[in-house]
Amino acid sequence: MREPDGTVTALMADATPSLDVVFDLLSNSRRRYALYYLNDQSDGVATLETLTENVIAFEQQTGATDEGHTTDRHASVRTELTHTHLPKLEDAGILEHDRRSETVRYWRQPSVEEWLEHAHHKEIA
């Protein structure tokens, strides 16, 4: 949840999202793939570019798409992350997206990580 000026407060990062929110967030594959990558980073930080590349890689790995890695696809995934998925995750207090530096910081949430790990195991492993 962002403040009116777009900042994420420490209280928001500490809040535990409800189970309904967790399942809604994980219901979209691109959000899951972004979280898989961010969760694997020791500091939970990634650039938007790296996140985009890894979402595309997960899509190719899971067979979620038959498309190769094209410039149009890259732009499409990046745009969808920027305008749809990252804001939804940010509004839920799961991450912070700094638009100026194009970096994303994941705020670790045990309830999200529990279901994320399970989804990752079922989907990727």
Side-chain angles (χ1 to χ4, degrees):
M1 295 185 195
R2 288 175 275 170
E3 291 292 311
D5 65 358
T7 60
V8 176
T9 65
L11 177 61
M12 290 176 191
D14 291 338
T16 301
S18 72
L19 198 55
D20 288 339
V21 170
V22 171
F23 285 141
D24 181 47
L25 295 173
L26 299 180
S27 70
N28 181 276
S29 61
R30 285 191 174 159
R31 280 195 296 272
R32 282 194 311 277
Y33 300 159
L35 288 172
Y36 292 161
Y37 180 75
L38 290 167
N39 190 47
D40 282 345
Q41 304 312 299
S42 61
D43 60 0
V45 176
T47 64
L48 181 57
E49 183 64 26
T50 302
L51 198 57
T52 300
E53 293 290 332
N54 280 278
V55 167
I56 291 170
F58 275 119
E59 287 181 342
Q60 291 172 332
Q61 182 180 355
T62 62
T65 183
D66 292 334
E67 299 176 42
H69 191 121
T70 65
T71 303
D72 288 343
R73 179 152 177 249
H74 184 276
S76 173
V77 170
R78 182 183 172 105
T79 298
E80 193 174 310
L81 285 172
T82 302
H83 295 290
T84 303
H85 303 304
L86 296 179
K88 186 169 184 116
L89 291 164
E90 190 170 31
D91 286 345
I94 305 299
L95 57 75
E96 180 180 5
H97 176 205
D98 184 336
R99 285 148 189 82
R100 274 200 254 158
S101 65
E102 294 193 334
T103 57
V104 178
R105 176 178 300 278
Y106 171 60
W107 302 111
R108 302 202 181 274
Q109 298 281 344
S111 60
V112 172
E113 289 179 17
E114 176 183 354
W115 292 105
L116 185 65
E117 184 179 316
H118 184 72
H120 188 264
H121 175 73
K122 290 291 188 182
E123 191 165 36
I124 305 295

